[in-house]
Amino acid sequence: MEARIAQIGRFIDTCTEIIEGKYTAADEKISEALAAIAASRDLTQLFTAVTQDFDYPAAKLRYLRPAVRGARGAAYLPADRSELLAYVFCLFAEIDAGTILLNDFLLRYFYVDGSYTAGFTLFAERVVRPFRDIVRDCFPAVCSGSAEDRRRAQEACIGQIAALLPAERERLALLPLKEEERAAAELIGAGLAGAAAKKDAVELSALLAGYRYFLRTIRGECDSSAQIFLLAAQL
């Protein structure tokens, strides 16, 4: 049983590494996620079940909207959880096989100022995160422990993030930012502090996702911000 849980945990951890990692490592990590599925009987059975009657070509036509009359292309996800699992799994398989080139895919459907890094951040949050979370929900034993234990662990994590935020805001105040960047930094900082004070994990996670993108935009990432994002992954 412990070995089975560890195999599922490996897949979930790899998806987390995709979400939190750099665009340049994405192809390798996607391959690792697929390898983790192949190594786990439980995951193999799950994805066999959800893909059995899944029409992937039709889903791509439905959820990948091409550019029209100058507008950028857009990507959507199925509302049904099983269909979402099947769809993202097939996307991963095509990226791994080279049928879909991640560079082109990001620029076509997750365009953000022509930046691969920014586009990948959007892809990771909108596609990989819900994919990972649904799989995690399918195997609650991976996140074992009582609801009270999980609540306490979450509050402890929020407390650690809250303790790091003042120094992070001071660090940003010393950076040579443009006026609009400084205003955005102050707004995000206040929002993060408010969410932490309310112990609102959902709001805090959403704000931190935006903050990660903001730091990458201004090239303001450092070890202290990385520590905050490592804690955020535990929320």
Side-chain angles (χ1 to χ4, degrees):
M1 183 63 178
E2 289 183 4
R4 291 170 62 187
I5 291 174
Q7 289 171 336
I8 298 167
R10 177 189 167 203
F11 168 79
I12 292 172
D13 289 345
T14 302
C15 286
T16 300
E17 289 169 3
I18 296 172
I19 296 166
E20 298 177 356
K22 295 183 178 180
Y23 150 74
T24 52
D27 285 305
E28 178 184 350
K29 290 299 178 182
I30 286 173
S31 297
E32 288 182 17
L34 292 173
I37 292 172
S40 166
R41 184 181 66 183
D42 297 282
L43 290 173
T44 300
Q45 289 176 342
L46 171 66
F47 285 102
T48 298
V50 298
T51 57
Q52 186 171 11
D53 298 315
F54 180 63
D55 189 342
Y56 179 55
K60 282 207 299 184
L61 290 175
R62 188 178 305 118
Y63 300 118
L64 295 179
R65 309 289 177 82
V68 178
R69 297 178 182 176
R72 300 289 178 186
Y76 302 89
L77 284 181
D80 180 81
R81 289 162 68 89
S82 295
E83 189 180 355
L84 187 150
L85 287 181
Y87 177 65
V88 178
F89 172 79
C90 291
L91 273 181
F92 272 22
E94 281 208 290
I95 293 170
D96 183 52
T99 309
I100 289 179
L101 299 179
L102 188 58
N103 289 1
D104 295 341
F105 185 74
L106 294 176
L107 287 182
R108 183 170 297 184
Y109 299 109
F110 295 89
Y111 184 89
V112 182
D113 299 330
S115 165
Y116 289 133
T117 298
F120 176 69
T121 298
L122 200 60
F123 168 75
E125 289 298 325
R126 291 187 178 178
V127 176
V128 184
R129 185 180 291 278
F131 178 64
R132 178 204 64 181
D133 290 349
I134 291 172
V135 173
R136 186 164 55 189
D137 290 346
C138 292
F139 299 97
V142 177
C143 304
S144 60
S146 69
E148 181 62 20
D149 289 339
R150 291 194 294 273
R151 185 189 65 78
R152 288 176 181 173
Q154 187 178 75
E155 288 188 357
C157 185
I158 292 174
Q160 290 177 279
I161 293 173
L164 294 171
L165 289 177
E168 182 71 1
R169 295 178 73 176
E170 290 179 9
R171 181 180 74 83
L172 285 186
L174 297 176
L175 294 179
L177 302 178
K178 299 176 183 177
E179 184 177 346
E180 61 270 23
E181 292 172 340
R182 191 167 302 284
E186 291 174 358
L187 185 62
I188 295 171
L192 289 171
K198 293 185 295 183
K199 298 181 180 180
D200 189 328
V202 174
E203 181 179 345
L204 185 59
S205 294
L207 286 168
L208 284 171
Y211 183 53
R212 180 193 290 272
Y213 171 63
F214 172 73
L215 287 181
R216 288 178 177 175
T217 301
I218 66 170
R219 297 181 179 179
E221 295 173 292
C222 70
D223 290 343
S224 61
S225 62
Q227 185 177 0
I228 291 174
F229 296 129
L230 282 174
L231 288 168
Q234 301 174 34
L235 292 176

